[in-house]
Amino acid sequence: PPRKPRCVGFRFKGRMTQGGVIPISLGLRPKESGFSMIDHTSLGVRSYQKAIAFYSACLAPLGYELQRDTGEEAAFGTPEAWGFFLYPALEPLPIVGERNHVAFRAPSRAAVEAFHEAAKSKGASSKRAPGGRPDIGPDYYGAVLIDPDGHTIEAVHWSKAS
């Protein structure tokens, strides 16, 4: 797939905690700047086909689809940009890291809500229902869930409350 441009001029403000950096504000949000700090990410999964079905369902409301499935790698995104991958992981290696999560960009608040419902319908447990988080920022609207493999996932939309 095509590569996105390098991230330049991305400013991050946060505060350190024992668990890492907690975002307070972002100088240039990827949507506004056209840049994204992370090129792609991947997760190991125990049940590869079940994970593909899960992520196909919950990423659809966000505008992302399965782009390729080789049986050893599932690539999700848009035809122009693949940014999320699944790989089968064998026991006994751990697949979930403490305090790790993947946040997917959502085009609207309604898409965050649809992501949340689709993920729950496919076996995810809700960690935080869709809503705002003034402690994160006035423009934040998101939802956080735990997928069937135990990964923490989030859908987030940044915009003024409507």
Side-chain angles (χ1 to χ4, degrees):
R3 289 278 194 211
K4 290 186 179 181
R6 258 186 38 225
C7 179
V8 294
F10 192 84
R11 295 179 293 125
F12 178 83
K13 296 179 183 175
R15 64 182 167 89
M16 290 300 295
T17 68
Q18 287 183 340
V21 175
I22 294 178
I24 295 173
S25 66
L26 299 173
L28 293 173
R29 292 215 171 26
K31 182 178 179 184
E32 297 166 356
S33 67
F35 295 105
S36 179
M37 185 174 160
I38 306 297
D39 183 74
H40 65 276
T41 192
S42 62
L43 295 177
V45 296
R46 297 287 184 223
S47 177
Y48 182 72
Q49 291 303 322
K50 182 178 176 182
I52 290 172
F54 173 85
Y55 281 101
S56 292
C58 68
L59 292 177
L62 307 182
Y64 308 125
E65 297 177 333
L66 179 64
Q67 299 296 320
R68 179 178 70 193
D69 177 7
T70 68
E72 292 294 319
E73 173 187 81
F76 290 84
T78 65
E80 301 80 27
W82 304 357
F84 180 66
F85 297 82
L86 299 175
Y87 295 97
L90 303 175
E91 297 279 355
L93 299 175
I95 59 171
V96 177
E98 181 67 24
R99 306 229 1 138
N100 289 343
H101 83 282
V102 176
F104 298 100
R105 190 175 304 137
S108 66
R109 289 174 173 225
V112 170
E113 293 164 5
F115 169 89
H116 187 260
E117 288 306 310
K120 284 191 340 182
S121 76
K122 292 288 190 178
S125 60
S126 181
K127 187 171 180 180
R128 190 174 69 235
R133 288 281 305 271
D135 57 314
I136 293 176
D139 301 342
Y140 174 93
Y141 189 86
V144 179
L145 302 107
I146 307 297
D147 81 359
D149 277 309
H151 299 290
T152 302
I153 59 173
E154 174 181 20
V156 63
H157 178 69
W158 295 95
S159 70
K160 299 284 185 209
S162 44

